[in-house]
Amino acid sequence: MPQGQPTEVPDDGLTTRQRRNRPLTIVHTGPGKGKSTAAFGMALRAWNQGWPVGVFQFVKSAKWKVGEERALKVLGASGEGGAVTWHKMGEGWSWVQRDPASSEEAAREGWEQVKRDLAAETYRLYVLDEFAYPMHWGWVPVDEVVRVLRDRSGTQHVVVTGRNAPAELLDFADLVTEMTKVKHPMDAGQKGQRGIEW
Amino acid sequence: MPQGQPTEVPDDGLTTRQRRNRPLTIVHTGPGKGKSTAAFGMALRAWNQGWPVGVFQFVKSAKWKVGEERALKVLGASGEGGAVTWHKMGEGWSWVQRDPASSEEAAREGWEQVKRDLAAETYRLYVLDEFAYPMHWGWVPVDEVVRVLRDRSGTQHVVVTGRNAPAELLDFADLVTEMTKVKHPMDAGQKGQRGIEW
């Protein structure tokens, strides 16, 4: 794909360099495949730049995405790019000692850690995988998420995935892609298969 | 995301196991971001399964996707998953000695190699990146592509990316996702940035 050119130069008082290095909020939403997969693909670029990458999986089951997890951990440990830290709600967040009372509490604990890491500038790319759901369900207040992201320091890019991303987040985000299902093998009685779906 | 269940069982004479292991043709198309990125994310799963992965980049410029290329090469060389072979049209296909007379000729040479590899069952996952374009432009006949994919042996999965994928390919494909641009920072005067766009 050719490198795009901006259609207009904004009157925001920033230099091109400042604008180029602006921290981005990116959302992958919609009913189609590829929302998380594309986010993990972005993590490959960040790794290649030597950036520390933090993944937070806001899902109960950790069956899916084992391939991406293993690949990014091997890359992170290779010493040839950035470090990769992988947090999973499904197996219990590593910083939480006791079992959460509910998925809602677990999701909130995840968000609290994201806030702490943003404040400490721990990572340069955050993959908040399936984080659209706890916002959609009202477990994590979207207005607080937008405020924290707006006020974050440094150049910390944040990618949020999941269906039904709230409108308030989409309004705030710099880049939103909707993945639309055009055709899926499950429609023809095909079950998910190893190496493709996980 | 929960594991989906088929909505109906097809009357195709196949067992569930046969159907599960059916080779898939997958297309990522549409004007939005993430088509290639999601395809490279799929390659992480294939690598994790120990599958040989072949990437064919049908683009002139090789500036984009350097992060994905380096990451997948490091993974392929790690010995912890499948091997990864990366072919680039932009730098000249490795199997072609002389410079092609045109992009059209180069694209055709790429497709000829894909055909040879499919016949030899060289890979288990093929990423034909930006391959929608040479079909869209009529450089590579889509009816031939569909025929070759339909008649391929073994369990060789093929992912095709690019805008404007021809209808004939979409009709044949098992899984089609359209990436729709909802909002892009270039609309607000933002240029592409390192680690995000490449």
Side-chain angles (χ1 to χ4, degrees):
Chain A
M1 200 164 70
Q3 183 164 4
Q5 288 296 323
T7 49
E8 57 181 73
V9 176
D11 182 24
D12 55 10
L14 298 175
T15 65
T16 299
R17 171 177 268 276
Q18 286 171 325
R19 211 175 293 117
R20 185 182 278 272
N21 292 322
R22 195 176 57 164
L24 295 176
T25 302
I26 298 167
V27 180
H28 296 170
T29 191
K33 309 282 292 181
K35 297 184 286 292
S36 299
T37 312
F40 295 125
M42 291 189 68
L44 301 184
R45 297 189 193 148
W47 168 85
N48 184 50
Q49 295 295 335
W51 295 356
V53 175
V55 178
F56 293 77
Q57 284 194 287
F58 285 84
V59 280
K60 274 294 253 185
S61 162
K63 180 183 173 188
W64 294 69
K65 301 157 193 173
V66 288
E68 289 92 329
E69 179 183 354
R70 191 159 149 259
L72 279 160
K73 284 181 172 174
V74 166
L75 287 172
S78 71
E80 304 209 26
V84 177
T85 307
W86 199 285
H87 300 293
K88 278 196 278 200
M89 193 174 94
E91 297 182 0
W93 303 114
S94 59
W95 61 89
V96 178
Q97 295 306 314
R98 49 170 184 64
D99 283 342
S102 63
S103 293
E104 178 170 351
E105 188 184 316
R108 284 210 186 112
E109 285 166 346
W111 168 238
E112 290 301 318
Q113 183 62 36
V114 171
K115 285 199 284 185
R116 285 190 290 269
D117 282 327
L118 284 167
E121 299 190 28
T122 308
Y123 308 110
R124 185 127 179 219
L125 176 71
Y126 295 72
V127 178
L128 307 187
D129 190 42
E130 311 284 15
F131 187 51
Y133 294 91
M135 282 185 279
H136 176 66
W137 293 324
W139 296 351
V140 173
V142 61
D143 57 339
E144 182 187 311
V145 172
V146 168
R147 182 166 42 74
V148 167
L149 293 180
R150 177 173 288 131
D151 296 344
R152 72 193 191 270
S153 56
T155 309
Q156 303 180 83
H157 304 293
V158 176
V159 187
V160 174
T161 78
R163 291 189 193 208
N164 301 319
E168 200 176 336
L169 180 69
L170 301 185
D171 287 345
F172 170 72
D174 302 290
L175 193 157
V176 176
T177 304
E178 181 169 290
M179 276 68 169
T180 309
K181 180 182 94 165
V182 176
K183 194 197 242 184
H184 192 284
M186 284 180 194
D187 299 339
Q190 172 94 29
K191 287 197 175 194
Q193 53 179 297
R194 181 189 303 273
I196 297 293
E197 300 279 349
W198 64 85
Chain B
M1 200 164 67
Q3 183 163 6
Q5 287 297 322
T7 50
E8 57 182 71
V9 175
D11 183 23
D12 56 11
L14 297 176
T15 65
T16 299
R17 171 177 269 277
Q18 286 171 325
R19 211 176 291 117
R20 185 182 279 274
N21 292 320
R22 195 177 57 165
L24 295 176
T25 302
I26 297 166
V27 180
H28 296 170
T29 191
K33 309 283 291 180
K35 297 184 286 292
S36 298
T37 311
F40 294 125
M42 292 189 67
L44 301 183
R45 296 189 193 150
W47 168 85
N48 184 49
Q49 295 295 335
W51 296 356
V53 176
V55 178
F56 294 77
Q57 284 194 287
F58 285 84
V59 280
K60 274 295 253 186
S61 161
K63 178 183 173 188
W64 294 68
K65 300 156 194 175
V66 288
E68 289 93 328
E69 179 182 354
R70 189 158 151 260
L72 279 160
K73 284 181 171 174
V74 166
L75 288 173
S78 72
E80 304 210 26
V84 177
T85 308
W86 199 284
H87 300 293
K88 279 196 277 198
M89 193 174 95
E91 296 181 0
W93 303 113
S94 58
W95 61 88
V96 178
Q97 296 305 314
R98 45 166 189 68
D99 283 341
S102 63
S103 293
E104 179 170 352
E105 190 183 317
R108 284 210 185 112
E109 284 166 347
W111 168 238
E112 291 302 317
Q113 182 62 36
V114 171
K115 285 199 285 184
R116 286 189 290 268
D117 282 326
L118 285 168
E121 298 190 28
T122 308
Y123 308 110
R124 185 125 179 220
L125 176 72
Y126 295 71
V127 178
L128 308 187
D129 189 42
E130 309 286 12
F131 187 51
Y133 294 91
M135 284 185 278
H136 177 65
W137 293 326
W139 296 351
V140 173
V142 61
D143 57 340
E144 183 187 310
V145 172
V146 168
R147 183 166 42 73
V148 167
L149 292 180
R150 178 173 288 132
D151 296 344
R152 73 193 189 271
S153 56
T155 307
Q156 304 181 81
H157 304 293
V158 177
V159 187
V160 174
T161 79
R163 290 189 194 209
N164 299 320
E168 200 176 336
L169 180 69
L170 301 185
D171 287 346
F172 170 72
D174 302 290
L175 194 157
V176 176
T177 304
E178 180 169 290
M179 276 70 169
T180 309
K181 179 181 95 166
V182 176
K183 194 196 240 184
H184 192 285
M186 285 180 193
D187 299 339
Q190 171 95 28
K191 288 198 174 195
Q193 54 179 297
R194 180 190 305 274
I196 298 293
E197 300 280 349
W198 64 86

